[in-house]
Amino acid sequence: MSYIQKGTVAFRKTNVALFFGGFNTFAIMYCTQPLLPEFSREFHISPAVASLSLSLTTIALAVSMLFVGSLSEVKGRKPLMIFSLWAASLLAVLIPFVPNYYFLLFVRVLQGLVLAGLPAVAMAYLSEEIAPANLGIAMGLYISGNSVGGMSGRIFIGMLSDYFNWRIALGSIGILSILASLVFCYLLPESKHFQPRSFDIRELLKSMFNHLLNPGLLCLYGISFFLMGSFVTLFNYISYQLIAPPYLLSQTIVGWIFVIFIVGTFSSTWLGRLADIHGRRQVLWVALLIMVSGALITLSVPLVLKILGIAIFTFGFFGSHSLASSWVGHQAIHDKAQASALYLFFYYVGSSIGGTVGGIFWSLFGWGGVICMILSFLLLALFLSLRLSSISQDINRKNQQTNCHIKS
């Protein structure tokens, strides 16, 4: 059976479906992020405690993803993605009716558990169904859906919480997510290259352990941890700075700052295309250095420069994530969904740990402390990308030597 090729109807349907799937997932996942100052004010909690409305969701998603990725090797890709979107959407409709912050955290944990189905499986679905030569741009389009979902959710939440309240704002996300789920179910083609396997917990644990012994995959998992940890930390606490003196911005204006995510829609696709041409290694280095420069620019006091720094940082992040996530499919030689699930496990653990620890840096050292933490994460990611390049070159040399011996 042939792969889905760029320019075909199936390629367009796949990209649109996964765009809306990513939109749905990330709109739900990050809908509480612009509300952290609101939670601090209404529930009389610290920024670090308020960040749990996001951190607990992502840590629940990370743990669930390990099992969902393995389950998809048995049950298939599309059914699990559909269940994930519908369950999360229904919980999103119910969340405005929670009586207090503790119930809100409970529902957010449930959302994290069921949301795992799409991000754990989507990358494996693409790597199995899309022609290898077109995988970079397809993965970039999927990541762009993530960025648009994250951006739109934050903008709507900021505006509606200003004009109404946070409950109505969260309810509106639930309605949008149901509509996105309908589009996803209708458009996504059935899997043609998926090969189901019998459920054997020992075999699944063995394959997971083998992934963790793969030095290339370990580097990618570390990169994902530091990428997401730095990204969530910046956006968790920039709101606190912007609503305080000397800026004194409203929730609506702070929400509209997330329109910066649109640069992620461009960078993930553009850098993915460049990686198909020039190789992931060099393009990933450039993307990480772009993130470093953006983080440093946010230390500027003028609001225009601060927003410019956020835009540059966001551009580099979505490009880096697109490149690293598509690299997983090439590094993993078996059980690709499980390898992708492990990548996203570390990705969201980084979100949870970085997002909460960043609150401590904010409380103790202000914005300068937050940026120091982010720069530390990015330098570690850059080190791992250099290590990954060395590992890939060693593997290529060994393969070439093996081929030469076979020919001789």
Side-chain angles (χ1 to χ4, degrees), residues 13-41:
K13 284 186 175 181
T14 301
N15 286 324
V16 171
L18 284 170
F19 181 93
F20 274 94
F23 175 98
N24 191 355
T25 301
F26 282 78
I28 292 173
M29 193 184 309
Y30 292 104
C31 63
T32 62
Q33 192 172 44
L35 296 174
L36 299 188
E38 191 74 18
F39 292 156
S40 292
R41 183 165 48 248

mmCIF file of all heavy atoms in Angstrom, residues 13-41:
data_model
loop_
_atom_site.group_PDB
_atom_site.id
_atom_site.type_symbol
_atom_site.label_atom_id
_atom_site.label_comp_id
_atom_site.label_asym_id
_atom_site.label_seq_id
_atom_site.Cartn_x
_atom_site.Cartn_y
_atom_site.Cartn_z
ATOM 1 N N LYS A 13 -6.595 16.140 3.618
ATOM 2 C CA LYS A 13 -7.514 15.741 4.681
ATOM 3 C C LYS A 13 -6.766 15.392 5.968
ATOM 4 O O LYS A 13 -7.188 15.757 7.069
ATOM 5 C CB LYS A 13 -8.350 14.537 4.221
ATOM 6 C CG LYS A 13 -9.462 14.879 3.249
ATOM 7 C CD LYS A 13 -10.323 13.643 2.972
ATOM 8 C CE LYS A 13 -11.524 13.987 2.106
ATOM 9 N NZ LYS A 13 -12.380 12.808 1.861
ATOM 10 N N THR A 14 -5.672 14.665 5.819
ATOM 11 C CA THR A 14 -4.883 14.282 6.988
ATOM 12 C C THR A 14 -4.362 15.507 7.726
ATOM 13 O O THR A 14 -4.455 15.602 8.959
ATOM 14 C CB THR A 14 -3.696 13.392 6.570
ATOM 15 O OG1 THR A 14 -4.194 12.228 5.925
ATOM 16 C CG2 THR A 14 -2.866 12.988 7.773
ATOM 17 N N ASN A 15 -3.817 16.449 6.972
ATOM 18 C CA ASN A 15 -3.258 17.641 7.597
ATOM 19 C C ASN A 15 -4.321 18.496 8.257
ATOM 20 O O ASN A 15 -4.120 19.025 9.364
ATOM 21 C CB ASN A 15 -2.482 18.464 6.567
ATOM 22 C CG ASN A 15 -1.150 17.835 6.217
ATOM 23 O OD1 ASN A 15 -0.490 17.251 7.070
ATOM 24 N ND2 ASN A 15 -0.749 17.921 4.962
ATOM 25 N N VAL A 16 -5.480 18.646 7.600
ATOM 26 C CA VAL A 16 -6.560 19.448 8.194
ATOM 27 C C VAL A 16 -7.090 18.771 9.463
ATOM 28 O O VAL A 16 -7.304 19.422 10.496
ATOM 29 C CB VAL A 16 -7.706 19.663 7.178
ATOM 30 C CG1 VAL A 16 -8.915 20.315 7.867
ATOM 31 C CG2 VAL A 16 -7.239 20.540 6.030
ATOM 32 N N ALA A 17 -7.281 17.443 9.404
ATOM 33 C CA ALA A 17 -7.790 16.717 10.564
ATOM 34 C C ALA A 17 -6.850 16.839 11.759
ATOM 35 O O ALA A 17 -7.278 17.151 12.880
ATOM 36 C CB ALA A 17 -7.998 15.240 10.206
ATOM 37 N N LEU A 18 -5.560 16.607 11.527
ATOM 38 C CA LEU A 18 -4.610 16.668 12.634
ATOM 39 C C LEU A 18 -4.350 18.106 13.077
ATOM 40 O O LEU A 18 -4.019 18.353 14.236
ATOM 41 C CB LEU A 18 -3.310 15.974 12.249
ATOM 42 C CG LEU A 18 -3.428 14.445 12.287
ATOM 43 C CD1 LEU A 18 -2.214 13.782 11.683
ATOM 44 C CD2 LEU A 18 -3.636 13.961 13.712
ATOM 45 N N PHE A 19 -4.540 19.070 12.161
ATOM 46 C CA PHE A 19 -4.481 20.474 12.558
ATOM 47 C C PHE A 19 -5.568 20.760 13.591
ATOM 48 O O PHE A 19 -5.306 21.342 14.648
ATOM 49 C CB PHE A 19 -4.650 21.371 11.330
ATOM 50 C CG PHE A 19 -4.584 22.847 11.629
ATOM 51 C CD1 PHE A 19 -3.375 23.522 11.537
ATOM 52 C CD2 PHE A 19 -5.713 23.549 11.997
ATOM 53 C CE1 PHE A 19 -3.306 24.885 11.814
ATOM 54 C CE2 PHE A 19 -5.659 24.907 12.270
ATOM 55 C CZ PHE A 19 -4.451 25.569 12.180
ATOM 56 N N PHE A 20 -6.802 20.311 13.312
ATOM 57 C CA PHE A 20 -7.903 20.545 14.249
ATOM 58 C C PHE A 20 -7.745 19.702 15.511
ATOM 59 O O PHE A 20 -8.130 20.130 16.604
ATOM 60 C CB PHE A 20 -9.245 20.257 13.573
ATOM 61 C CG PHE A 20 -9.788 21.425 12.812
ATOM 62 C CD1 PHE A 20 -9.539 21.568 11.456
ATOM 63 C CD2 PHE A 20 -10.530 22.405 13.446
ATOM 64 C CE1 PHE A 20 -10.019 22.653 10.744
ATOM 65 C CE2 PHE A 20 -11.021 23.497 12.751
ATOM 66 C CZ PHE A 20 -10.771 23.628 11.390
ATOM 67 N N GLY A 21 -7.177 18.497 15.365
ATOM 68 C CA GLY A 21 -6.922 17.690 16.545
ATOM 69 C C GLY A 21 -5.917 18.350 17.471
ATOM 70 O O GLY A 21 -6.112 18.403 18.691
ATOM 71 N N GLY A 22 -4.822 18.858 16.892
ATOM 72 C CA GLY A 22 -3.845 19.587 17.687
ATOM 73 C C GLY A 22 -4.426 20.859 18.271
ATOM 74 O O GLY A 22 -4.162 21.213 19.428
ATOM 75 N N PHE A 23 -5.228 21.567 17.481
ATOM 76 C CA PHE A 23 -5.919 22.776 17.956
ATOM 77 C C PHE A 23 -6.744 22.461 19.195
ATOM 78 O O PHE A 23 -6.657 23.146 20.222
ATOM 79 C CB PHE A 23 -6.822 23.306 16.838
ATOM 80 C CG PHE A 23 -7.676 24.476 17.231
ATOM 81 C CD1 PHE A 23 -7.278 25.772 16.928
ATOM 82 C CD2 PHE A 23 -8.879 24.296 17.897
ATOM 83 C CE1 PHE A 23 -8.058 26.860 17.295
ATOM 84 C CE2 PHE A 23 -9.665 25.371 18.266
ATOM 85 C CZ PHE A 23 -9.257 26.657 17.965
ATOM 86 N N ASN A 24 -7.547 21.407 19.108
ATOM 87 C CA ASN A 24 -8.423 21.012 20.206
ATOM 88 C C ASN A 24 -7.622 20.671 21.460
ATOM 89 O O ASN A 24 -7.894 21.168 22.557
ATOM 90 C CB ASN A 24 -9.256 19.805 19.760
ATOM 91 C CG ASN A 24 -10.372 19.485 20.726
ATOM 92 O OD1 ASN A 24 -10.509 20.086 21.783
ATOM 93 N ND2 ASN A 24 -11.182 18.499 20.372
ATOM 94 N N THR A 25 -6.626 19.808 21.284
ATOM 95 C CA THR A 25 -5.829 19.341 22.424
ATOM 96 C C THR A 25 -5.167 20.492 23.164
ATOM 97 O O THR A 25 -5.224 20.574 24.399
ATOM 98 C CB THR A 25 -4.759 18.350 21.937
ATOM 99 O OG1 THR A 25 -5.394 17.245 21.298
ATOM 100 C CG2 THR A 25 -3.910 17.854 23.095
ATOM 101 N N PHE A 26 -4.557 21.403 22.430
ATOM 102 C CA PHE A 26 -3.778 22.450 23.087
ATOM 103 C C PHE A 26 -4.633 23.610 23.569
ATOM 104 O O PHE A 26 -4.253 24.304 24.518
ATOM 105 C CB PHE A 26 -2.654 22.914 22.159
ATOM 106 C CG PHE A 26 -1.508 21.945 22.143
ATOM 107 C CD1 PHE A 26 -1.585 20.777 21.404
ATOM 108 C CD2 PHE A 26 -0.392 22.159 22.918
ATOM 109 C CE1 PHE A 26 -0.566 19.856 21.416
ATOM 110 C CE2 PHE A 26 0.648 21.254 22.949
ATOM 111 C CZ PHE A 26 0.564 20.089 22.198
ATOM 112 N N ALA A 27 -5.791 23.813 22.941
ATOM 113 C CA ALA A 27 -6.714 24.819 23.471
ATOM 114 C C ALA A 27 -7.216 24.388 24.846
ATOM 115 O O ALA A 27 -7.308 25.207 25.774
ATOM 116 C CB ALA A 27 -7.884 25.020 22.509
ATOM 117 N N ILE A 28 -7.536 23.092 24.993
ATOM 118 C CA ILE A 28 -8.000 22.577 26.281
ATOM 119 C C ILE A 28 -6.865 22.549 27.301
ATOM 120 O O ILE A 28 -7.009 22.978 28.445
ATOM 121 C CB ILE A 28 -8.596 21.165 26.109
ATOM 122 C CG1 ILE A 28 -9.896 21.233 25.314
ATOM 123 C CG2 ILE A 28 -8.839 20.513 27.471
ATOM 124 C CD1 ILE A 28 -10.471 19.878 24.962
ATOM 125 N N MET A 29 -5.716 22.046 26.883
ATOM 126 C CA MET A 29 -4.616 21.852 27.820
ATOM 127 C C MET A 29 -4.158 23.170 28.456
ATOM 128 O O MET A 29 -3.921 23.238 29.660
ATOM 129 C CB MET A 29 -3.441 21.179 27.113
ATOM 130 C CG MET A 29 -2.373 20.665 28.061
ATOM 131 S SD MET A 29 -0.946 19.989 27.183
ATOM 132 C CE MET A 29 -1.733 18.853 26.048
ATOM 133 N N TYR A 30 -4.068 24.222 27.645
ATOM 134 C CA TYR A 30 -3.485 25.468 28.141
ATOM 135 C C TYR A 30 -4.508 26.555 28.419
ATOM 136 O O TYR A 30 -4.152 27.716 28.590
ATOM 137 C CB TYR A 30 -2.431 25.967 27.145
ATOM 138 C CG TYR A 30 -1.236 25.055 27.089
ATOM 139 C CD1 TYR A 30 -1.051 24.185 26.025
ATOM 140 C CD2 TYR A 30 -0.340 25.009 28.152
ATOM 141 C CE1 TYR A 30 0.021 23.314 26.002
ATOM 142 C CE2 TYR A 30 0.726 24.147 28.140
ATOM 143 C CZ TYR A 30 0.909 23.298 27.064
ATOM 144 O OH TYR A 30 1.963 22.430 27.051
ATOM 145 N N CYS A 31 -5.786 26.180 28.503
ATOM 146 C CA CYS A 31 -6.814 27.200 28.690
ATOM 147 C C CYS A 31 -6.711 27.905 30.038
ATOM 148 O O CYS A 31 -7.200 29.033 30.187
ATOM 149 C CB CYS A 31 -8.204 26.596 28.500
ATOM 150 S SG CYS A 31 -8.640 25.310 29.699
ATOM 151 N N THR A 32 -6.093 27.288 31.025
ATOM 152 C CA THR A 32 -5.985 27.950 32.333
ATOM 153 C C THR A 32 -4.751 28.837 32.458
ATOM 154 O O THR A 32 -4.634 29.590 33.425
ATOM 155 C CB THR A 32 -5.956 26.909 33.476
ATOM 156 O OG1 THR A 32 -4.806 26.067 33.328
ATOM 157 C CG2 THR A 32 -7.215 26.063 33.473
ATOM 158 N N GLN A 33 -3.828 28.753 31.498
ATOM 159 C CA GLN A 33 -2.572 29.494 31.645
ATOM 160 C C GLN A 33 -2.764 31.001 31.788
ATOM 161 O O GLN A 33 -2.170 31.611 32.684
ATOM 162 C CB GLN A 33 -1.631 29.186 30.487
ATOM 163 C CG GLN A 33 -0.215 29.690 30.721
ATOM 164 C CD GLN A 33 0.740 29.208 29.638
ATOM 165 O OE1 GLN A 33 0.411 29.244 28.455
ATOM 166 N NE2 GLN A 33 1.909 28.749 30.032
ATOM 167 N N PRO A 34 -3.582 31.672 30.956
ATOM 168 C CA PRO A 34 -3.760 33.117 31.151
ATOM 169 C C PRO A 34 -4.581 33.464 32.384
ATOM 170 O O PRO A 34 -4.669 34.649 32.750
ATOM 171 C CB PRO A 34 -4.478 33.554 29.865
ATOM 172 C CG PRO A 34 -5.153 32.337 29.360
ATOM 173 C CD PRO A 34 -4.269 31.188 29.753
ATOM 174 N N LEU A 35 -5.187 32.459 33.033
ATOM 175 C CA LEU A 35 -6.023 32.707 34.207
ATOM 176 C C LEU A 35 -5.254 32.581 35.517
ATOM 177 O O LEU A 35 -5.847 32.744 36.590
ATOM 178 C CB LEU A 35 -7.203 31.721 34.219
ATOM 179 C CG LEU A 35 -8.197 31.827 33.060
ATOM 180 C CD1 LEU A 35 -9.213 30.698 33.132
ATOM 181 C CD2 LEU A 35 -8.897 33.177 33.061
ATOM 182 N N LEU A 36 -3.961 32.289 35.463
ATOM 183 C CA LEU A 36 -3.203 32.091 36.706
ATOM 184 C C LEU A 36 -3.284 33.297 37.637
ATOM 185 O O LEU A 36 -3.531 33.130 38.842
ATOM 186 C CB LEU A 36 -1.742 31.742 36.388
ATOM 187 C CG LEU A 36 -1.497 30.460 35.571
ATOM 188 C CD1 LEU A 36 0.000 30.151 35.499
ATOM 189 C CD2 LEU A 36 -2.246 29.277 36.140
ATOM 190 N N PRO A 37 -3.081 34.535 37.142
ATOM 191 C CA PRO A 37 -3.257 35.685 38.049
ATOM 192 C C PRO A 37 -4.679 35.776 38.608
ATOM 193 O O PRO A 37 -4.882 36.172 39.758
ATOM 194 C CB PRO A 37 -2.922 36.889 37.162
ATOM 195 C CG PRO A 37 -2.057 36.345 36.080
ATOM 196 C CD PRO A 37 -2.595 34.965 35.820
ATOM 197 N N GLU A 38 -5.679 35.404 37.806
ATOM 198 C CA GLU A 38 -7.073 35.417 38.258
ATOM 199 C C GLU A 38 -7.293 34.400 39.369
ATOM 200 O O GLU A 38 -7.953 34.683 40.366
ATOM 201 C CB GLU A 38 -7.990 35.107 37.071
ATOM 202 C CG GLU A 38 -9.458 35.344 37.338
ATOM 203 C CD GLU A 38 -9.832 36.803 37.368
ATOM 204 O OE1 GLU A 38 -9.056 37.640 36.856
ATOM 205 O OE2 GLU A 38 -10.901 37.121 37.921
ATOM 206 N N PHE A 39 -6.718 33.217 39.225
ATOM 207 C CA PHE A 39 -6.824 32.201 40.277
ATOM 208 C C PHE A 39 -6.120 32.662 41.552
ATOM 209 O O PHE A 39 -6.614 32.440 42.663
ATOM 210 C CB PHE A 39 -6.222 30.875 39.804
ATOM 211 C CG PHE A 39 -6.998 30.191 38.707
ATOM 212 C CD1 PHE A 39 -6.369 29.293 37.854
ATOM 213 C CD2 PHE A 39 -8.343 30.444 38.519
ATOM 214 C CE1 PHE A 39 -7.071 28.655 36.840
ATOM 215 C CE2 PHE A 39 -9.061 29.809 37.500
ATOM 216 C CZ PHE A 39 -8.417 28.912 36.665
ATOM 217 N N SER A 40 -4.948 33.264 41.401
ATOM 218 C CA SER A 40 -4.222 33.774 42.576
ATOM 219 C C SER A 40 -5.062 34.787 43.340
ATOM 220 O O SER A 40 -5.114 34.788 44.578
ATOM 221 C CB SER A 40 -2.899 34.419 42.139
ATOM 222 O OG SER A 40 -2.001 33.462 41.657
ATOM 223 N N ARG A 41 -5.747 35.657 42.584
ATOM 224 C CA ARG A 41 -6.548 36.720 43.210
ATOM 225 C C ARG A 41 -7.827 36.157 43.834
ATOM 226 O O ARG A 41 -8.164 36.479 44.969
ATOM 227 C CB ARG A 41 -6.875 37.776 42.157
ATOM 228 C CG ARG A 41 -7.636 38.981 42.675
ATOM 229 C CD ARG A 41 -7.606 40.143 41.688
ATOM 230 N NE ARG A 41 -7.928 39.721 40.328
ATOM 231 C CZ ARG A 41 -7.052 39.713 39.331
ATOM 232 N NH1 ARG A 41 -5.792 40.081 39.549
ATOM 233 N NH2 ARG A 41 -7.409 39.326 38.108
#
